[in-house]
Amino acid sequence: MFIANWKMNGSQSMLLDWLKGVDKTLDKSLQKNCLLCPPVCFLSEASNLISKSNLNISLGAQNIDPNCFSSLTGGIDGAMLKSFGSEFVIIGHSERREVFKEKDSLLLEKLKSASKNELKVIFCIGESLKDKQENQTEKVLKQQLQIIKKVDLNEFMIAYEPIWAIGSGETANIDYIDKVHRGIIDEVSSYQKEGFKGVSYGGSVDSTSSKDILSIKGVKGLLIGGASLQYQEFCNIVLSNH
Ligand code: PEP
């Protein structure tokens, strides 16, 4: 799965150009592995364009608000995301953990909301540079994974994103990704959750680094931020898998 996380970027014209470009460059069998996560305001339009042009791309949201609040100004819940055409949702991205101080208790409610609305989850985990330097990566990641045990998810993928690699231009090295992914797979497999679909890597991936990362056995996909904004670069990453 190739996940394009546009973060807070995009416009209607960019969306149109991006979808047209991807359709022109990737055949339908390759489109099947592509997931576009634009800002929520573009989901509905993206869904209409995808159906109208018969594209084979899936859509996801970058965030979800939990159902546990009876009133939440500005909130968007799982049912709304579904009605906009979203099949997936990203939960636990480090930017939201850091900027909005999203803690495990809130992330658990978000996971429950996704589950209730049958949204497929991309659950992000990652260590800081300090954690890495202090050899705490394994411990930190295991801790972040614990809430997965507490909820029945239909389908979910873990996105391993070392915080120091996100948007920094510095990708983690192959041996490091391999070792960390093995550890995550062992840990999550021990929870015996049927919906577990594997581990994706994210952190400054572009078309020069993607092939090597995708050759790692435990890497089931890529979560791509900056490099997903240009359709050509995104497609080059997808094509590097062949
Ligand atoms: C991300 O958005 O999660 C991400 C990995 O961004 P970038 O590819 O820009 O590092």
Side-chain angles (χ1 to χ4, degrees):
M1 174 76 79
F2 296 88
I3 306 158
N5 178 18
W6 278 11
K7 310 193 190 201
M8 205 168 70
N9 295 288
S11 61
Q12 286 189 328
S13 62
M14 174 177 158
L15 179 68
L16 188 61
D17 290 348
W18 196 92
L19 289 171
K20 264 193 200 160
V22 170
D23 195 30
K24 193 178 68 185
T25 318
L26 303 178
D27 65 31
K28 298 278 188 269
S29 67
L30 293 177
Q31 290 178 22
K32 193 170 180 288
N33 296 324
C34 299
L35 168 62
L36 172 63
C37 301
V40 70
C41 56
F42 299 126
L43 274 173
S44 198
E45 170 102 17
S47 176
N48 291 338
L49 290 168
I50 286 171
S51 333
K52 207 168 106 194
S53 305
N54 204 20
L55 305 191
N56 208 10
I57 297 171
S58 303
L59 283 176
Q62 299 173 17
N63 184 33
I64 183 171
D65 290 305
N67 286 355
C68 60
F69 299 107
S70 56
S71 59
L72 178 65
T73 301
I76 296 179
D77 73 14
M80 295 169 191
L81 295 178
K82 266 213 126 162
S83 74
F84 295 160
S86 191
E87 193 186 337
F88 290 79
V89 62
I90 298 174
I91 295 178
H93 195 285
S94 63
E95 287 154 8
R96 299 206 60 94
R97 289 180 192 255
E98 279 180 16
V99 179
F100 296 100
K101 310 285 177 241
E102 294 189 356
K103 301 276 177 253
D104 284 354
S105 53
L106 179 64
L107 296 177
L108 178 59
E109 293 305 326
K110 292 184 175 212
L111 289 171
K112 285 183 187 166
S113 176
S115 167
K116 189 174 161 207
N117 292 288
E118 295 177 345
L119 287 161
K120 297 173 187 166
V121 169
I122 296 149
F123 186 63
C124 301
I125 58 170
E127 82 284 8
S128 66
L129 186 57
K130 184 166 175 282
D131 297 330
K132 180 175 181 263
Q133 286 165 342
E134 293 174 356
N135 285 321
Q136 296 297 306
T137 299
E138 196 182 328
K139 186 174 154 222
V140 167
L141 298 181
K142 265 194 183 169
Q143 184 56 43
Q144 291 174 348
L145 287 169
Q146 293 310 300
I147 57 170
I148 292 289
K149 284 186 194 166
K150 299 184 186 163
V151 61
D152 277 330
L153 294 169
N154 314 296
E155 243 188 57
F156 69 102
M157 179 165 268
I158 304 298
Y160 167 56
E161 301 204 289
I163 298 169
W164 47 271
I166 297 177
S168 65
E170 189 190 345
T171 317
N173 80 40
I174 299 298
D175 292 342
Y176 189 78
I177 298 174
D178 183 31
K179 182 168 168 256
V180 175
H181 275 235
R182 282 171 200 263
I184 297 169
I185 293 165
D186 284 352
E187 175 68 15
V188 181
S189 301
S190 76
Y191 306 166
Q192 299 187 322
K193 298 265 182 194
E194 271 181 27
F196 178 43
K197 297 291 173 208
V199 186
S200 291
Y201 172 80
S204 292
V205 176
D206 62 17
S207 59
T208 60
S209 57
S210 53
K211 192 177 173 65
D212 288 345
I213 298 172
L214 288 164
S215 69
I216 303 170
K217 195 164 167 262
V219 172
K220 280 280 172 294
L222 298 172
L223 178 42
I224 310 148
S228 73
L229 296 174
Q230 309 290 332
Y231 81 82
Q232 195 57 64
E233 177 64 356
F234 177 75
C235 293
N236 286 342
I237 293 172
V238 177
L239 291 166
S240 72
N241 199 25
H242 292 273

